Amino acid sequence: MHLILKVRGAGAGAVSRLLAKNPHNVYDRTEKDARVRIVYITDTESETEVLIHAEPDPVDLVRGTPNGYDITQYINDREFVTSSLFCSYIRSALGTALNGKPKEDYLQWVEHSFDMELSFGPVASDLPDRVVEELFSSLGYTVTLERDELSYTFDLKKKSTVRRIRLSGQVTVQNALRQLFLLIPVLDNYKHYFISEDEIDKIKRYGEGWLETHPLKELIVRRTLRFSELIRKYELQEGALPVSVEQVGGVNQISDKGINESDKGIQNASAGELERSESPVRLNELRYRAITELVAALPAKRRIVDMGAGEGKLSARLAYISGVETILAVEPSGQSRLRAMERFAKLEDRSGVVAMPEPVIGSLFYFDEQMQNQDVMILCEVIEHIEAYRLNGIMDTIMSDYRPDVLLVTTPNKEYNEVYAMEQESFRHHDHRFEWTRAELVERCEKWAHKGNYAFEIRGIGEYAEGYGQPTQLVIFERRKENQL
């Protein structure tokens, strides 16, 4: 992870004084278990180029995490990408520049706008290119995005979410660093620390003089503060109007089942719904409601399998449905199962619970005889996380071997991505392998149902948009009886 700052023109030699780092010495320190180095590539009166590099210890990054027993904890990009971690590593080294308090002889250069080029990365961002560009072009930068060439033997993705970013423009050293310290975590949308009211102070400090007029201020605030309570406190302090869900809901923020369950499901209420309710209904909430209502109305629902149950949110809701006797919450992730177990433990003393969900280690890729002949099997936002070429085999196993009476499947409607103003080849979550249009889903379902001897019906979930349908597609497969052949 790195940042390169290059300045050309009169006064370029003053940059080292603003950074308070001697160009003739290599800055090499350990900050928060990361090695931070600052090296001057060029240092003349007309041109200065400085590299700021951070190299964290990959073991320290995962030490003490809940899944510390699992070797897969080391499979992540935190060691390499430029994120909030990078900003925390280099903050101490650049404190003088961020505060704008060099030695008195160089105070005149604090407010001087240099001809500057900033290069940093790689950045792993779920934001589409146009939004990344607008975040910086609105500040007067010329923006260039670069991607590495990726060679796969199959079509994994049209575009990598990992990009390197180069900015050029007229800007002070202090403002350039403050903007990056606020916007780099917004790009990555990952926080490695507890988000408290200190984040509000950081927004005010680093956003002074530019954030108030930024066209994507709402997006910046939401991705920085994350929690509604902090956002409300910020709005009250600023005297600002509430952040519009519609303004930020389209910038590729619609999370489905993925790494961070707490971020799942961006708010997707219409303007009218916002006026009627202080707490707009999340798309994920609408999915859960649709599924639980459908299951509750089924004549046979004693035995249920929730495949890819994650942290058990849906399984916990199914536990209240009258007539349900067993719920198998099947999930391959150890960390998610632990959270599900904690969630299920809280159900024990609650009234109305008719069946305690049972966390089960399992995957659609491995046959498990206890999944056979269940009344209901649910795949809520699961299939899009599987390579499309493997789905036919999985659906054949479900319909021919497991043979549930009812199979419920939800998956994103690709056409609706245009309503969210997403780029054509973008996915709603970085782990999605595909997203299908309504016609593509119908074509697949017809093949699966015919081969597996099922009838099916497709419904929509979420706000309807003319010409695009609804954001989520719900497929209801019902197994045909033998006399219906």
Side-chain angles (χ1 to χ4, degrees):
M1 50 183 79
H2 73 271
L3 165 65
I4 298 175
L5 186 153
K6 182 187 294 186
V7 171
R8 297 186 181 91
V15 170
S16 63
R17 306 294 182 174
L18 295 175
L19 297 176
K21 297 293 174 288
N22 190 329
H24 302 295
N25 296 329
V26 175
Y27 179 94
D28 193 341
R29 307 281 174 82
T30 299
E31 296 286 348
K32 300 180 179 179
D33 298 316
R35 186 180 183 185
V36 177
R37 284 169 283 187
I38 300 178
V39 180
Y40 285 83
I41 301 170
T42 305
D43 179 53
T44 68
E45 287 304 312
S46 59
E47 182 176 340
T48 293
E49 183 175 2
V50 58
L51 166 67
I52 304 162
H53 183 270
E55 184 178 343
D57 184 331
V59 175
D60 284 323
L61 282 176
V62 297
R63 182 176 287 131
T65 55
N67 56 342
Y69 60 87
D70 187 350
I71 195 172
T72 58
Q73 65 180 321
Y74 295 103
I75 305 174
N76 63 72
D77 61 7
R78 297 299 93 186
E79 180 185 355
F80 310 103
V81 296
T82 302
S83 65
S84 63
L85 280 167
F86 175 70
C87 294
S88 68
Y89 295 150
I90 69 173
R91 183 175 288 112
S92 177
L94 300 179
T96 299
L98 284 166
N99 295 327
K101 295 181 179 180
K103 290 184 177 180
E104 188 172 349
D105 292 346
Y106 294 92
L107 283 174
Q108 59 179 315
W109 295 104
V110 173
E111 300 297 327
H112 179 77
S113 292
F114 294 94
D115 181 10
M116 188 181 301
E117 183 177 292
L118 300 159
S119 303
F120 59 95
V123 173
S125 179
D126 61 343
L127 296 174
D129 287 354
R130 64 170 186 81
V131 178
V132 175
E133 291 171 358
E134 188 174 355
L135 280 170
F136 293 102
S137 62
S138 300
L139 299 173
Y141 292 107
T142 299
V143 184
T144 303
L145 305 181
E146 300 174 347
R147 283 183 172 84
D148 292 333
E149 291 295 325
L150 302 176
S151 298
Y152 295 112
T153 56
F154 55 93
D155 184 16
L156 180 62
K157 272 193 176 183
K158 297 295 184 183
K159 290 183 178 180
S160 170
T161 57
V162 177
R163 283 151 282 187
R164 288 176 172 79
I165 300 174
R166 186 166 68 251
L167 312 174
S168 56
Q170 296 286 326
V171 62
T172 69
V173 170
Q174 183 185 32
N175 280 344
L177 292 176
R178 286 185 168 186
Q179 289 161 0
L180 291 182
F181 269 67
L182 198 54
L183 294 181
I184 285 175
V186 168
L187 291 171
D188 189 70
N189 201 26
Y190 166 87
K191 292 292 177 64
H192 65 282
Y193 54 85
F194 176 75
I195 303 173
S196 66
E197 290 189 33
D198 292 343
E199 290 295 280
I200 296 178
D201 295 331
K202 187 177 81 172
I203 287 181
K204 291 180 178 180
R205 183 168 67 255
Y206 291 163
E208 182 180 0
W210 62 270
L211 180 58
E212 188 59 38
T213 57
H214 198 291
L216 296 182
K217 177 185 176 182
E218 289 86 354
L219 173 65
I220 295 169
V221 170
R222 279 195 173 276
R223 287 170 76 104
T224 300
L225 299 180
R226 288 183 175 254
F227 303 113
S228 58
E229 184 60 32
L230 287 179
I231 294 171
R232 280 194 293 270
K233 287 183 179 180
Y234 172 80
E235 291 166 352
L236 288 172
Q237 292 180 23
E238 292 294 295
L241 294 173
V243 176
S244 166
V245 172
E246 290 188 309
Q247 283 180 296
V248 300
V251 268
N252 213 17
Q253 287 230 131
I254 309 93
S255 297
D256 298 304
K257 246 173 201 175
I259 293 174
N260 191 346
E261 290 277 336
S262 63
D263 292 340
K264 197 185 294 182
I266 193 67
Q267 294 170 342
N268 272 311
S270 65
E273 287 173 322
L274 284 170
E275 292 173 359
R276 291 191 296 271
S277 172
E278 293 183 1
S279 300
V281 180
R282 293 171 179 260
L283 179 56
N284 208 51
E285 170 68 20
L286 295 177
R287 292 190 197 106
Y288 291 164
R289 287 184 188 178
I291 292 171
T292 52
E293 289 173 3
L294 201 157
V295 171
L298 292 174
K301 49 182 175 289
R302 291 188 305 111
R303 298 167 302 171
I304 299 176
V305 176
D306 182 9
M307 293 294 301
E311 296 180 1
K313 293 183 178 181
L314 176 58
S315 294
R317 293 182 179 227
L318 298 171
Y320 290 90
I321 297 177
S322 178
V324 174
E325 296 179 3
T326 62
I327 303 168
L328 300 181
V330 184
E331 171 61 35
S333 166
Q335 184 174 356
S336 293
R337 284 198 312 277
L338 288 174
R339 291 178 177 172
M341 291 169 66
E342 293 172 356
R343 187 184 305 278
F344 299 157
K346 296 176 182 178
L347 296 175
E348 292 181 359
D349 300 325
R350 294 186 181 176
S351 61
V353 173
V354 298
M356 286 296 297
E358 178 186 349
V360 176
I361 301 174
S363 168
L364 286 168
F365 299 117
Y366 304 101
F367 180 79
D368 189 340
E369 62 182 10
Q370 67 179 320
M371 310 299 171
Q372 290 182 297
N373 302 314
Q374 301 286 321
D375 294 315
V376 183
M377 182 174 285
I378 302 168
L379 279 67
C380 179
E381 304 302 292
V382 170
I383 64 171
E384 62 274 9
H385 294 269
I386 302 169
E387 287 82 1
Y389 71 89
R390 305 183 75 173
L391 272 180
N392 288 341
I394 286 173
M395 295 302 290
D396 186 47
T397 297
I398 292 174
M399 293 180 169
S400 300
D401 296 323
Y402 291 158
R403 304 180 76 233
D405 288 339
V406 174
L407 171 64
L408 305 179
V409 178
T410 72
T411 192
N413 170 17
K414 180 181 179 180
E415 296 165 78
Y416 206 88
N417 292 352
E418 193 166 338
V419 178
Y420 295 130
M422 290 168 56
E423 293 188 347
Q424 187 174 7
E425 298 301 332
S426 296
F427 292 154
R428 298 189 196 177
H429 190 275
H430 63 82
D431 189 51
H432 285 187
R433 297 329 195 227
F434 66 86
E435 288 174 6
W436 285 333
T437 65
R438 289 171 290 176
E440 287 171 333
L441 181 63
V442 169
E443 182 181 358
R444 286 278 184 154
C445 290
E446 286 177 342
K447 293 178 180 178
W448 295 335
H450 177 73
K451 184 176 182 181
N453 193 33
Y454 278 76
F456 74 92
E457 173 190 353
I458 299 180
R459 302 177 185 175
I461 299 175
E463 185 178 354
Y464 178 81
E466 187 67 37
Y468 303 101
Q470 292 166 274
T472 294
Q473 306 182 81
L474 168 63
V475 189
I476 307 165
F477 292 96
E478 291 190 70
R479 187 160 59 89
R480 300 180 188 273
K481 306 302 179 184
E482 298 301 326
N483 59 8
Q484 292 180 297
L485 289 173

